[in-house]
Amino acid sequence: MKVKKEVFQELGAFLLIGAAVCAVLILASCSTGPVAPAPASESVAMAPVGADGSAALSGGTVTSGLRSGDYAMKVPTRRPGLGTGWGDTISSSLNNTQFIRESNQPFGGVGMIYYNDQEGINAMAGSYKNKTSAYQRAANGAVEWGVKSGWSTPDHYMSGSKRYVVGKKGRKYSLVVRNVSDSRLEVVLSVDGLDVMDGKAASFKKRGYIIAPGEKIEVKGFRTSYDTVAAFEFSTVGASYSNLRHGQTRDIGVIGLAVFAEKGSPPWRWATNDASQRGEARPFAEAPLRTVR
């Protein structure tokens, strides 16, 4: 009996030690530690973002405003002025059509509009700026384009050859482009150096929207599918999509426009050289050396 009692005592002590070790392991597994980022095929959780672009997460990590598969970036040193954030989902249908470009280079160069808050515009443009109409010609006059916010257009300024628009944080905006030429045009747009079709680095090689003669489009956000876009929304630089998604703020504050003509269909029925040639037509040709008797 004494031997059995000692065996049971040793067995009980062993069980108590094992239970203590298990408890330590369980506590260790429950403690806070580094968490691996979600794989690209999974959605990244969203977190509320403060007015200055900082997140309600430890370490200043921002995840708000990211689409599926995006990774959180660190907020850079706070910069003044506006950027473009990832806004609410808006319905916007898109269809495919065939369009062959006449050239790989934009027709009439690249159009640009710089945006910021009023204080930022004053610093950028200085005192030598004048208010101008919201919609201006671009691409050798083939299109009219501008920025719209709500039911109206924000203030637009010209300073030298540069064009500026005043935004307000928290307000949504859209890009309006009208084709005033005689042929279909392809329009590639960028915001903060990002292509509006995919939210990635903008390039002339990427495809854009096709606009028929006399028609206009209103691009309200970064495209997320054939049926929806994420609204353009004036935000802080830290809360901009360019920073949250790409960790890049170098190109924040500029909207770009590149227009491409269709192959075999010049934008103007009367090209400049054709009109010039007609203007130089002679009512009497040079007298022939001989005349008919």
Side-chain angles (χ1 to χ4, degrees):
M1 294 295 292
K2 185 176 181 180
V3 173
K4 288 184 179 181
K5 184 176 180 181
E6 290 177 352
V7 170
F8 281 121
Q9 286 177 345
E10 291 178 358
L11 180 61
F14 177 78
L15 292 176
L16 287 174
I17 293 172
V21 171
C22 291
V24 171
L25 291 175
I26 292 173
L27 289 173
S29 65
C30 293
S31 63
T32 303
V35 180
S41 60
E42 297 180 2
S43 298
V44 177
M46 297 178 67
V49 175
D52 61 349
S54 60
L57 297 177
S58 62
T61 302
V62 177
T63 56
S64 179
L66 303 183
R67 66 171 92 189
S68 176
D70 289 352
Y71 292 92
M73 296 288 184
K74 292 287 185 179
V75 177
T77 303
R78 185 185 301 180
R79 285 179 53 190
L82 299 178
T84 295
W86 186 268
D88 298 334
T89 299
I90 299 176
S91 296
S92 175
S93 299
L94 181 70
N95 297 314
N96 286 325
T97 187
Q98 186 175 12
F99 186 98
I100 301 176
R101 294 177 178 179
E102 180 68 33
S103 171
N104 291 328
Q105 294 302 309
F107 177 76
V110 175
M112 291 180 286
I113 300 177
Y114 297 91
Y115 72 87
N116 210 335
D117 53 26
Q118 186 67 66
E119 183 180 1
I121 296 297
N122 292 340
M124 295 168 67
S127 58
Y128 298 100
K129 62 181 183 295
N130 298 300
K131 276 193 175 182
T132 186
S133 59
Y135 301 108
Q136 299 282 334
R137 291 286 184 102
N140 289 344
V143 299
E144 289 180 344
W145 75 305
V147 177
K148 179 182 176 183
S149 183
W151 295 101
S152 61
T153 56
D155 290 338
H156 285 65
Y157 293 92
M158 289 294 297
S159 179
S161 60
K162 289 188 175 182
R163 187 174 167 197
Y164 301 91
V165 62
V166 180
K168 293 183 179 180
K169 192 172 78 69
R171 294 286 299 272
K172 293 181 176 62
Y173 72 90
S174 58
L175 309 178
V176 179
V177 185
R178 181 188 298 274
N179 181 356
V180 295
S181 76
D182 299 324
S183 302
R184 293 198 309 168
L185 299 172
E186 180 182 1
V187 175
V188 178
L189 294 162
S190 69
V191 172
D192 294 346
L194 304 177
D195 188 90
V196 301
M197 285 293 195
D198 60 10
K200 299 178 182 179
S203 169
F204 294 155
K205 296 179 180 180
K206 295 187 176 181
R207 306 313 300 262
Y209 290 98
I210 309 302
I211 312 178
E215 298 295 323
K216 75 174 180 179
I217 60 170
E218 182 175 359
V219 180
K220 297 182 178 181
F222 292 108
R223 184 153 293 281
T224 54
S225 71
Y226 275 91
D227 300 310
T228 59
V229 297
F232 297 136
E233 184 174 307
F234 291 120
S235 69
T236 61
V237 174
S240 67
Y241 181 67
S242 180
N243 175 57
L244 298 184
R245 173 64 180 89
H246 302 283
Q248 190 273 118
T249 61
R250 171 65 181 82
D251 299 315
I252 281 182
V254 64
I255 300 167
L257 167 81
V259 178
F260 296 88
E262 188 169 13
K263 188 173 183 178
S265 182
W268 302 115
R269 182 176 301 173
W270 292 102
T272 303
N273 58 340
D274 292 333
S276 177
Q277 185 176 354
R278 282 193 168 243
E280 295 174 358
R282 299 166 298 176
F284 296 96
E286 292 181 3
L289 296 177
R290 296 179 181 179
T291 59
V292 178
R293 291 182 180 177

